[in-house]
Amino acid sequence: MPNLALELAKQTASLGVTSVYGEQQDVDGVRLVPVAVSWSGFGAGDDGNGAAGGGGGGAAFPVGAYIRRGDGVSFEPNIVSLLAVGIPFVWVTGRALSRIIRALKR
């Protein structure tokens, strides 16, 4: 059996937040390459009393595609994904700024 720690080390080199590029697709003479942002990770631990556990997970969010028309290449974002990420970000930022301003007024 190979060393488990070495195998995990090889796999964790690709963990974290990364860009993922899909296979090139040709649609009606237009070439496109889908792009996503993905994250993954895992963890494990014990409570000192013999109980232990671990788990992992990941997700990928499509952010757009590189599109080649004729001689030019451009990036076209996925508006739905940008809104899904942007709206909570704007809300959290606004809430944080309102609390900072309220604290500075005191």
Side-chain angles (χ1 to χ4, degrees):
M1 176 177 205
N3 189 342
L4 181 61
L6 291 176
E7 291 299 317
L8 285 175
K10 288 178 188 175
Q11 292 179 3
T12 58
S14 64
L15 294 179
V17 177
T18 59
S19 295
V20 180
Y21 300 95
E23 292 184 27
Q24 175 180 306
Q25 302 292 320
D26 292 322
V27 179
D28 295 331
V30 177
R31 290 184 177 173
L32 50 102
V33 176
V35 180
V37 171
S38 69
W39 68 266
S40 59
F42 70 93
D46 63 31
D47 66 358
N49 295 325
F61 300 101
V63 294
Y66 285 106
I67 298 180
R68 182 176 188 168
R69 291 187 183 102
D71 294 334
V73 175
S74 63
F75 179 79
E76 293 191 15
N78 181 345
I79 301 300
V80 174
S81 291
L82 292 177
L83 287 174
V85 171
I87 290 172
F89 177 74
V90 169
W91 183 82
V92 168
T93 303
R95 184 145 171 110
L97 285 174
S98 69
R99 289 182 179 213
I100 291 170
I101 290 170
R102 193 175 316 141
L104 291 174
K105 284 184 178 181
R106 291 183 187 176

